Amino acid sequence: MIYTKIKGTGSYVPKKVMTNEDLKQFVDTSDEWIVSRTGIKERHIVTDEFTVDLAEKASLKAIEDAGIDKSEIDIVIVATVTPDNAFPGIGNLLQGRLGLERVMTFDINAACSGFLYALEIADKMIKSGAYNNALIVGAETLTRLTDWRDRNTCVLFGDAAGAMIISKSDTNSIKDVICGSVSDSDGHLICNNVDIKDPAVNAVSVQDHIHMNGREVFKFATRIMPKTIRDLLERNNMVLDDLDYIVAHQANERIINKAARDLGYSMDKMFLNISKYGNTSSASVPLAIDEAIKTKKINKGDLFATVAFGGGFTWGGAIIEL
Ligand code: UT7
C-alpha cells in the first residue's frame, strides 16, 4: 500500500501592506466596518511582482523545509485564478525558475478551493505508484482583478503564495481528500475573461473585475464548510473530537465562526490569520497550514482537517495527520 504525507511547507507574501485606513483613499469604508464584518485588518499586495514570483519564493521555502533535492520533484501543480499568461502556465514557468527537469507541470483553476484540488490530484498520482514527490502551490495576485472602486469586494482580497511538498510515505498521513463543484449559474462570484471585440470597430478589450453577491456566497460557504468536515469524518469513521485543529479557507472570520458554531467545534481550535492577509484565494489554505505548523499550533502527530470553498462554486477538504 502506498501512502502519502506532507514533507514540507512554505509561504510568501509581498512586502507592501495595505491597511483598512489606506483603503479609504479609494472607497467609502471604515476600519470598523471591515473588521466587524470580515475580521480583516490589512492585506499584502504586489507592486512589481507577478504570480510566478510569489510561487517561486513559497516553493523554495517548502523545498528547503522538506529537505529534499529539487531533482526529486516529479510533479508540479499550481492552483491559481491569476496566472501571468494564458500560456505557458505558472507550473511550467515555475519549473524553469526552479531548474527542474523531467517533471509534469500544470495549472488548475478551482478558485479558492484550488489548493485542495491540487492536493487531491497529487495525493492520488503518488498513490498510483507512478510518482514520488509533488510540489503543489496556491499562488495568487488577486489584487490585479480587484475593482478598487467597489467597496463590496476591494476590502476583501490580498496577494500571497503557499507551497507544499507531498511525498510517498510508509505511514498513512494524508488520510482523505474530497473535492466537489456545483454550477453558480446565477453568477454570484465571477470574473469574466477579457472581452473579444470586433477589431473592425476598434474596441479596446479590458480585463474584467471580480463581481460578487456577498450574501449568497456567505450562505454557500457556511453551508458547505461544515458539511465537508462532516462528510470527511463520516467517510473515515471519525468524530469531531478526533481532530486537534481545523484550518479553513480564510475568506471571512464570520464564516469561520459560523462554521465552528454549526459543527459544535471550539473557535480556539480554528486557525485564523485573515486579519493579516485578507482572502488570498487558492493561497489561503497553504499559507494558513504553513503558519499553523511554523507557529506550532499543529504539531507532529496532530490530526487536522482543512476545508475551503470558492467561486464555481467549488469546495474541498482533507484530513491529515502531520
Ligand atoms: O473566497 C470567496 C470570496 N467571497 C466571500 O467569501 C464573501 C462572502 N461574503 C461575505 O464575506 C460578506 O457578505 C461581505 C463581507 C462581503 C459583506 O458583509 P455583509 O454583512 O453580507 O454586508 P452586505 O453586503 O449585506 O452589506 C451591508 C451594508 C450595505 O449597505 P446598506 O445597503 O445596508 O446601506 C453595503 O453597501 O454594508 C455596506 N458595505 C460597506 N460599508 C462600508 C459593503 N461593503 C462595505 C465596505 N465598507 N467595505
Side-chain angles (χ1 to χ4, degrees), residues 116 224-226 228-229 232 246-249 285 305-309 316-318:
L116 269 305
I224 203 69
M225 293 223 294
T228 303
I229 297 284
L232 279 165
I246 297 180
V247 183
H249 168 42
V285 162
T306 179
V307 61
F309 68 93

Side-chain angles (χ1 to χ4, degrees), residues 27-30 33-34 37-38 111-112 142 150-157 189 210 212-219 221 249-255 279 281 309-311:
V27 285
D28 178 16
T29 192
S30 65
W33 191 95
I34 301 171
R37 300 287 177 127
T38 70
C112 305
L142 262 197
D150 176 13
R151 69 176 182 174
N152 292 294
T153 53
C154 79
V155 303
L156 302 175
F157 301 108
L189 181 53
I210 298 165
M212 187 181 72
N213 179 337
R215 285 186 190 182
E216 289 301 323
V217 179
F218 195 99
K219 275 194 249 169
H249 168 42
Q250 306 285 304
N252 183 328
E253 191 173 323
R254 279 163 57 219
I255 292 176
N279 179 348
S281 189
F309 68 93

Side-chain angles (χ1 to χ4, degrees), residues 11 29 36:
S11 58
T29 192
S36 64

Side-chain angles (χ1 to χ4, degrees), residues 55-191:
E56 181 187 1
K57 285 167 180 152
S59 298
L60 286 169
K61 290 186 190 175
I63 293 166
E64 189 188 348
D65 191 47
I68 61 168
D69 191 86
K70 283 189 281 192
S71 62
E72 294 173 67
I73 295 169
D74 44 19
I75 320 164
V76 177
I77 309 174
V78 179
T80 186
V81 293
T82 48
D84 300 324
N85 316 299
F87 63 87
I90 297 291
N92 175 273
L93 297 175
L94 187 58
Q95 166 185 13
R97 293 280 187 97
L98 298 173
L100 307 181
E101 286 174 21
R102 289 195 298 279
V103 290
M104 178 170 66
T105 67
F106 59 97
D107 294 4
I108 55 168
N109 175 340
C112 305
S113 315
F115 188 80
L116 269 305
Y117 275 55
L119 179 66
E120 163 78 325
I121 296 163
D123 181 60
K124 299 303 173 292
M125 286 173 76
I126 295 171
K127 282 175 177 162
S128 78
Y131 299 88
N132 295 306
N133 297 291
L135 167 63
I136 58 169
V137 185
E140 302 285 9
T141 49
L142 262 197
T143 58
R144 291 193 295 171
L145 300 183
T146 302
D147 181 349
W148 293 98
R149 295 154 303 175
D150 176 13
R151 69 176 182 174
N152 292 294
T153 53
C154 79
V155 303
L156 302 175
F157 301 108
D159 302 327
M164 233 178 233
I165 301 289
I166 303 298
S167 301
K168 212 174 246 182
S169 165
D170 299 333
T171 52
N172 182 12
S173 173
I174 299 177
K175 298 194 182 296
D176 197 12
V177 191
I178 50 177
C179 294
S181 170
V182 61
S183 180
D184 167 25
S185 49
D186 295 323
H188 292 314
L189 181 53
I190 191 163
C191 183

